[in-house]
Amino acid sequence: MSVKENVLKILLNSQNQYISGENLANILNVSRNSIWKAIKSLEKAGYTINATSNKGYALISSNDILSSTSIKNHIKNQDFFDITVLDEVTSTNTLIKERGNLGEHEGVTIVSGHQTNGRGRLGRNFHSPTDTGVYFSVLLRPKISADKAIFITTMASIAVSEAILEVIKKPAHIKWVNDIFVEDRKVCGILCEASLSMENFDIDYVTLGIGINVYNPNNGFPEEISQIAGFLLEHRQEDIKNKLVASILNHFLELYTEFDTEKISAKYKTLSYVLNKEIFVIKDGEQKKALAIDIDNACGLVVKYDNNSIETLNSGEISTKIIN
Ligand code: BTN
């Protein structure tokens, strides 16, 4: 960790208490001048720090800036995730795929506050404006057959829903299969991409990408998603994005370590946004009205059409509203 990251960690843990430059220098075994430079660099990054000559430094506000130091502060299992925060990226999924192809280890995580080429499902773009959302991807190397890959997406959906309830204090629900809804608006999308080994077609690695709209984007949402997209918080809150990312990673790791598919399906069902609702199944450009009647043990969505025929959907797209 750099001096800057170490200073931030100490200030974050000092909870508005002053700590002298001399103390910081002693703890970190560096010069007072290095501490001063670290403080200036934190201020430049947007942190509000009070400095008084007799008391020292106190962190007044982190202005909800994303930082690996703060995320790690809230992570329970320090060994699994290897977290890097970058100001701007093309797409965290694209970057993690590059790392996966290089053979890097499971747990490598890239977090960013801005994507210039955020990718969504079905080749769509994912709106990822600067400073109001958080976008991150995790490299996973699960020892599972390809047909179990769906459970990675469902575990992530559960983890996001649980984290939103824990950190934001709002109930969140999962629209099959990987959109998270709060107050009837999509606040999060998940893109899980598996890379298969060419030798035996087993999973080589998985890129798990999660994008969350935390605040209202400065210029609003683009027209095409304005009827569906929503955000979690009206006003900025101290350190909330870091807490949210950490909580998602904590919840995800618990489920992933256990990999209890029955438990995952059961939880997924209780968090469903569509169960027992009228939905539209989108297939070959057509929208077919149906009732979502069940979610099976493989996380397939069981639907009943108007003519009483029943189908289990294992992939594809549904909508809760008719799309014009
Ligand atoms: C969707 O709603 O279609 C899925 C959106 C997934 C977006 C996330 S943001 C982090 C990661 N990087 C990407 O380019 N996409 C995923």
Side-chain angles (χ1 to χ4, degrees):
M1 254 205 269
S2 65
V3 178
K4 178 180 162 189
E5 283 171 305
N6 273 314
V7 168
L8 178 60
K9 188 172 178 185
I10 296 171
L11 292 181
L12 280 167
N13 289 331
S14 308
Q15 310 248 333
N16 294 356
Q17 295 288 317
Y18 280 86
I19 177 156
S20 71
E22 191 180 348
N23 236 339
L24 283 167
N26 284 340
I27 297 167
L28 300 176
N29 203 15
V30 296
S31 66
R32 293 273 301 269
N33 192 40
S34 312
I35 299 294
W36 182 81
K37 278 189 187 155
I39 296 283
K40 288 292 144 208
S41 161
L42 287 169
E43 284 176 339
K44 201 167 162 221
Y47 294 92
T48 310
I49 296 169
N50 256 10
T52 63
S53 49
N54 53 347
K55 288 196 283 187
Y57 304 105
L59 181 65
I60 301 305
S61 163
S62 72
N63 292 315
D64 201 17
I65 296 167
L66 278 169
S67 84
S68 60
T69 311
S70 175
I71 297 172
K72 285 178 204 159
N73 237 359
H74 300 291
I75 288 277
K76 287 186 194 153
N77 183 333
Q78 296 288 335
D79 299 332
F80 187 85
F81 297 106
D82 172 356
I83 301 167
T84 305
V85 173
L86 301 170
D87 284 345
E88 183 187 282
V89 296
T90 48
S91 148
T92 55
N93 262 36
T94 304
L95 296 186
I96 284 295
K97 277 177 141 185
E98 286 169 12
R99 309 282 284 264
N101 289 337
L102 288 172
E104 290 199 13
H105 62 89
E106 159 164 272
V108 169
T109 303
I110 297 178
V111 185
S112 184
H114 183 203
Q115 295 187 121
T116 52
N117 191 20
R119 296 191 290 110
R121 283 180 71 227
L122 309 168
R124 294 186 190 126
N125 156 60
F126 186 76
H127 186 59
S128 315
T130 185
D131 199 36
T132 53
V134 57
Y135 319 101
F136 63 102
S137 304
V138 186
L139 176 63
L140 299 167
R141 295 193 183 274
K143 309 266 178 299
I144 53 168
S145 52
D147 61 315
K148 295 261 183 328
I150 178 90
F151 286 104
I152 306 279
T153 309
T154 50
M155 284 188 275
S157 302
I158 296 168
V160 172
S161 307
E162 289 180 334
I164 290 176
L165 184 62
E166 182 179 285
V167 178
I168 312 286
K169 316 281 179 225
K170 288 184 180 176
H173 292 98
I174 305 162
K175 191 195 125 212
W176 185 86
V177 56
N178 53 356
D179 290 341
I180 309 300
F181 274 61
V182 169
E183 291 157 358
D184 291 323
R185 293 267 174 172
K186 173 172 168 177
V187 295
C188 165
I190 297 168
L191 177 65
C192 198
E193 301 178 287
S195 169
L196 302 184
S197 141
M198 293 317 274
E199 268 167 42
N200 49 13
F201 295 103
D202 272 351
I203 290 181
D204 180 14
Y205 68 87
V206 169
T207 304
L208 168 63
I210 300 176
I212 308 177
N213 309 322
V214 180
Y215 305 109
N216 198 2
N218 297 327
N219 300 318
F221 289 105
E223 176 69 30
E224 61 276 18
I225 57 168
S226 63
Q227 295 306 307
I228 294 176
F231 52 90
L232 292 173
L233 292 168
E234 200 71 48
H235 304 290
R236 283 188 95 83
Q237 275 188 32
E238 193 60 14
D239 210 24
I240 208 85
K241 287 191 240 144
N242 295 316
K243 284 184 189 154
L244 191 59
V245 173
S247 175
I248 293 169
L249 295 177
N250 287 336
H251 283 284
F252 177 79
L253 189 59
E254 230 177 279
L255 294 164
Y256 182 68
T257 310
E258 223 180 14
F259 222 108
D260 178 341
T261 54
E262 260 179 49
K263 188 168 154 186
I264 298 164
S265 317
K267 270 201 175 194
Y268 190 67
K269 215 165 148 168
T270 61
L271 289 167
S272 173
Y273 181 63
V274 295
L275 214 50
N276 302 317
K277 273 192 187 164
E278 186 177 82
I279 57 158
F280 296 88
V281 177
I282 303 167
K283 249 190 213 170
D284 306 325
E286 274 184 37
Q287 305 178 51
K288 216 168 151 190
K289 195 158 78 144
L291 186 67
I293 57 172
D294 199 11
I295 289 173
D296 69 15
N297 285 347
C299 293
L301 183 70
V302 187
V303 299
K304 186 173 168 187
Y305 294 105
D306 279 353
N307 64 4
N308 283 334
S309 66
I310 289 178
E311 186 183 5
T312 302
L313 307 170
N314 290 307
S315 61
E317 218 193 348
I318 60 159
S319 164
T320 46
K321 292 179 186 149
I322 193 132
I323 303 169
N324 298 310

